[in-house]
Amino acid sequence: MDEPARYSPFLEDIVLHNVGTFDLVAELDAFAQQLSVPMRAARHHSLLIADKTPANVIAYARTVLDLSEPGVGAIIAAMEALCRAWMPLAYDVVIFSRDRFDQKSGGDRFREKVLTLRDEVEAAVFKATVDSGVKVLELPTELSTEGRVEWIAGQLDGLGLAAA
């Protein structure tokens, strides 16, 4: 499944066209899409592999927004409550990857504005994912691509989630 945030007109304006800054509207749009898109994608499949979860959006929102602005903290708290209620119903497991890719090797313009926040965002995403109540497995970083596929397949098989 593609990452829904990459199709947000709000985030496109901010990161690709340098119009505005990260704001609550952009983060709410990303959160809503991160709920809606996987539901639609999963309705005809028994296994859905997604790059991000609603917890990722919460982590980014907590990192890039000013939580002292009126209403922002309360809305983020509501997003967290929905995430804790929804994710255990929608996700069997999250495989957390700590991969780092060199932006200079082709670059990813959607990540340019948050590159300096990598460590902070990674820690926030991990915390938000754990706080969601979904089982979290950390993908070993030392594996080859083939080894990662085998490790993930073994984990899913062990959980009874292997694809038919």
Side-chain angles (χ1 to χ4, degrees):
M1 185 189 89
D2 287 337
E3 184 180 341
R6 293 183 179 272
Y7 301 100
S8 167
F10 302 104
L11 292 175
E12 178 184 315
D13 284 348
I14 295 164
V15 300
L16 299 183
H17 306 298
N18 292 315
V19 176
T21 59
F22 292 108
D23 61 15
L24 188 57
V25 171
E27 296 303 322
L28 278 172
D29 179 64
F31 187 73
Q33 290 301 311
Q34 195 60 65
L35 293 172
S36 175
V37 171
M39 282 190 291
R40 291 176 181 199
R43 72 186 204 281
H44 297 299
H45 302 283
S46 59
L47 178 65
L48 178 68
I49 299 172
D51 184 40
K52 303 286 188 267
T53 73
N56 290 74
V57 179
I58 290 167
Y60 273 94
R62 282 197 156 281
T63 304
V64 301
L65 298 180
D66 180 354
L67 301 179
S68 68
E69 283 186 25
V72 172
I75 291 171
I76 299 298
M79 290 165 60
E80 289 171 330
L82 179 56
C83 193
R84 283 189 307 274
W86 175 246
M87 281 189 58
L89 299 174
Y91 294 81
D92 294 304
V93 65
V94 171
I95 297 174
F96 192 82
S97 172
R98 296 185 185 274
D99 289 335
R100 296 282 176 97
F101 298 98
D102 182 4
Q103 284 297 117
K104 294 180 176 88
S105 67
D108 179 349
R109 292 188 58 212
F110 266 90
R111 300 236 186 273
E112 286 176 0
K113 289 199 180 214
V114 293
L115 276 179
T116 60
L117 304 173
R118 273 194 206 190
D119 293 334
E120 184 179 356
V121 167
E122 181 180 277
V125 169
F126 186 76
K127 180 182 182 328
T129 304
V130 169
D131 289 350
S132 75
V134 175
K135 181 179 186 69
V136 178
L137 303 174
E138 292 192 63
L139 179 65
T141 57
E142 70 278 355
L143 300 175
S144 65
T145 300
E146 182 179 320
R148 290 169 189 234
V149 171
E150 289 174 6
W151 185 90
I152 292 168
Q155 298 300 310
L156 295 179
D157 188 46
L159 294 169
L161 301 172

